[in-house]
Amino acid sequence: MLKLGPVEIAKYPFVEDASSYIRDIGITLEKLGTDPDLQIFIDMAMKRIRTAADGGVYESLPDMLDKRRMMFETLSFLVAVILLKLCGMQTLIRRFALAEARRAEKNLGVDLRIHPADKFELAKRLIGDLFSVNIEYINGDLSVPVQDYLTRAINFHEREWNLVNRRVSKGRVYLTRHETVRLLRTEISSYIQAKIRSAKMPTMQSGFEKPVTELIDLAKRFASETVIVSGEHPPCIKHAIEILERGENLPHSGRFMLATFLLNRGQSVEQIAPLFKNAPDYNERTTMYQLRNLSGESGGGTKYTCPSCEKIKSNDMCFANEKCDGIFTPLHFGRKK
């Protein structure tokens, strides 16, 4: 396994084992949960979790070369893992993992610059070790093997990710730095979730009780309500709902399709809004504003209709089956011909 230095551990703390790191720096779990001087790490961890819950990404402290700050970065992540493990709220764990994946994306995007070479090599080895993806730098661009690309690009539905729209040469797909790390977001998030789930359950300490209670209350904000849709869902709608349930990003075109479909099937704004709570960039105010506009409750008073199947196909959101034959809009799905 790749051995990271303190700067890299602060950037990618999910590669560390929480209990061993805390033990190595001479802090016991008991001390962490009872010593008032260490309360700052719990406060930082809570800030990190709340930021993730709100759809944000925790910003690194400035001056990452300072050893004390690096320890703060790493410990705040590891304490967050302990608190999440103790509260057991899967919604918060999923949102935290997504936010940390986006933070890692940002850091990998910087480290994959070819200069200085040692940073590039370390980022390349990190990706290779964790996700078995062989990244190469060729003539100013990054590239990955076609098979590695295809197994990951399937998670994206924008046209730009289709292989026919990529530059391919000698069995490799060429990508920008941003696209390379974006390709790995789902895996990074899954890796972090797996690390949290597989971590040994820590012992509850007196200093953890209050923040854990706060996290349980925080998770209630994201308790999903069941959206009941009469009749069977068309495959495009099923797929959109599954993406949101996995906490992944649904493109704007997919959100528009899903919302207008449900609104035109008689669901209210209040019934539909909870579906979007798992979106990584969920914002309650923005979601309600957009849904009310689509429903005609605000804005110009126009109620939008669900896009046609042709339009959905052009947005790569169509997953038609034999039951879709002869229909022109998802709203006609299931009707007798």
Side-chain angles (χ1 to χ4, degrees):
M1 180 66 189
L2 180 64
K3 187 68 179 173
L4 301 180
V7 173
E8 287 73 33
I9 291 174
K11 286 181 182 176
Y12 312 111
F14 49 86
V15 300
E16 273 294 303
D17 177 75
S19 57
S20 64
Y21 180 84
I22 292 172
R23 186 174 58 247
D24 290 347
I25 62 174
I27 298 177
T28 64
L29 199 62
E30 291 75 12
K31 193 174 180 182
L32 194 58
T34 55
D35 188 338
D37 291 339
L38 301 180
Q39 177 65 35
I40 189 170
F41 297 117
I42 298 177
D43 294 340
M44 287 184 67
M46 289 295 285
K47 180 182 177 184
R48 206 158 174 155
I49 297 171
R50 289 193 199 98
T51 300
D54 289 336
V57 177
Y58 172 75
E59 289 289 335
S60 297
L61 295 167
D63 192 8
M64 287 291 289
L65 292 177
D66 182 276
K67 286 184 180 178
R68 189 164 176 268
R69 289 182 187 276
M70 287 188 286
M71 185 178 75
F72 272 57
E73 289 284 310
T74 308
L75 261 183
S76 63
F77 174 90
L78 298 176
V79 173
V81 171
I82 291 169
L83 296 176
L84 287 168
K85 190 77 181 175
L86 285 169
C87 83
M89 295 291 104
Q90 296 303 311
T91 300
L92 292 184
I93 291 173
R94 190 166 56 246
R95 297 179 78 83
F96 179 77
L98 276 169
E100 291 297 327
R102 291 165 68 189
R103 178 175 178 269
E105 265 185 59
K106 188 176 175 182
N107 288 326
L108 279 171
V110 173
D111 287 347
L112 280 173
R113 288 175 180 158
I114 198 64
H115 299 293
D118 59 337
K119 277 194 175 182
F120 172 78
E121 284 300 321
L122 192 141
K124 176 185 168 182
R125 288 172 57 199
L126 179 67
I127 291 171
D129 271 21
L130 295 184
F131 310 116
S132 302
V133 177
N134 173 26
I135 294 177
E136 293 293 343
Y137 180 80
I138 303 173
N139 298 327
D141 288 309
L142 297 174
S143 71
V144 299
V146 169
Q147 189 57 43
D148 287 345
Y149 177 84
L150 289 175
T151 55
R152 291 160 178 84
I154 196 172
N155 296 314
F156 303 101
H157 306 286
E158 294 89 347
R159 195 176 302 176
E160 68 194 68
W161 291 98
N162 288 347
L163 189 61
V164 294
N165 296 324
R166 310 301 316 187
R167 181 158 69 95
V168 181
S169 177
K170 297 180 180 177
R172 301 189 70 86
V173 182
Y174 286 75
L175 302 163
T176 65
R177 282 185 295 122
H178 171 74
E179 290 168 340
T180 303
V181 293
R182 177 72 184 88
L183 194 66
L184 298 169
R185 176 185 291 179
T186 301
E187 279 177 271
I188 299 173
S189 173
S190 299
Y191 182 86
I192 296 171
Q193 284 189 54
K195 288 279 284 191
I196 296 173
R197 290 191 175 119
S198 64
K200 185 180 175 183
M201 180 61 77
T203 306
M204 177 65 85
Q205 306 296 322
S206 58
F208 296 154
E209 291 175 355
K210 184 180 175 184
V212 166
T213 301
E214 287 180 23
L215 292 180
I216 292 171
D217 288 339
L218 177 63
K220 292 176 182 173
R221 281 175 43 197
F222 304 101
S224 296
E225 298 171 15
T226 303
V227 178
I228 301 172
V229 182
S230 58
E232 188 180 357
H233 293 54
C236 54
I237 300 299
K238 276 185 185 174
H239 187 262
I241 292 173
E242 286 168 2
I243 289 177
L244 288 174
E245 286 179 343
R246 291 200 299 265
E248 296 174 5
N249 187 46
L250 183 66
H252 174 74
S253 58
R255 299 182 193 206
F256 180 86
M257 173 190 72
L258 177 60
T260 52
F261 174 84
L262 294 175
L263 286 167
N264 282 279
R265 279 289 180 95
Q267 299 297 303
S268 68
V269 167
E270 288 72 21
Q271 287 173 311
I272 298 169
L275 269 178
F276 295 90
K277 282 186 174 181
N278 278 340
D281 56 352
Y282 174 72
N283 179 291
E284 183 178 3
R285 187 176 174 184
T286 303
T287 300
M288 294 301 287
Y289 171 80
Q290 291 173 339
L291 286 175
R292 287 189 175 120
N293 263 342
L294 294 176
S295 70
E297 291 179 20
S298 60
T302 301
K303 183 176 181 178
Y304 288 78
T305 190
C306 186
S308 66
C309 293
E310 185 178 346
K311 180 67 176 174
I312 292 169
K313 275 182 189 173
S314 71
N315 289 328
D316 287 337
M317 294 297 299
C318 176
F319 300 89
N321 60 27
E322 66 281 358
K323 293 183 180 179
C324 297
D325 291 347
I327 67 171
F328 303 99
T329 163
L331 293 169
H332 292 162
F333 185 84
R335 290 185 183 176
K336 290 182 179 177
K337 300 168 188 162

